[in-house]
Amino acid sequence: MKEKTLTETQRKEELSLKQQVGDVQKDLATTLHKFENTTEPDLLDYYTYAYKANQIKHSYLLNRLKQLYYS
């Protein structure tokens, strides 16, 4: 398979996306840890929604990376 070369702008976007993916993965881990260690019903709801939002963001960022590589 032929490897695609990226322009300078695309490389910067790639690095930014990779950083954001790493940050979201850390947020997912933190949110899950907090969810597991709370008993307050309101906080459980909050962490549930926060975790789902981070999952969606993670999926979006990965799709952007795929587009960058395969477009």
Side-chain angles (χ1 to χ4, degrees), residues 35-46:
F35 176 85
E36 291 172 343
N37 292 301
T38 191
T39 57
E40 292 291 323
D42 289 339
L43 286 177
L44 289 172
D45 286 344
Y46 170 79

Side-chain angles (χ1 to χ4, degrees), residues 12-23:
K12 287 180 182 178
E13 183 179 7
E14 174 192 26
L15 290 175
S16 174
L17 289 169
K18 285 181 177 180
Q19 178 65 43
Q20 290 177 61
V21 167
D23 292 345

Side-chain angles (χ1 to χ4, degrees), residues 40-68:
E40 292 291 323
D42 289 339
L43 286 177
L44 289 172
D45 286 344
Y46 170 79
Y47 292 132
T48 299
Y49 290 120
Y51 190 83
K52 183 63 178 172
N54 280 321
Q55 282 181 319
I56 293 168
K57 186 175 183 179
H58 187 261
S59 177
Y60 169 77
L61 292 171
L62 290 179
N63 284 332
R64 292 255 328 262
L65 271 173
K66 287 178 188 176
Q67 289 174 354
L68 183 66

Side-chain angles (χ1 to χ4, degrees), residues 2 13 25 27 29 33 39 41:
K2 185 178 177 184
E13 183 179 7
Q25 288 174 337
D27 290 345
H33 175 74
T39 57

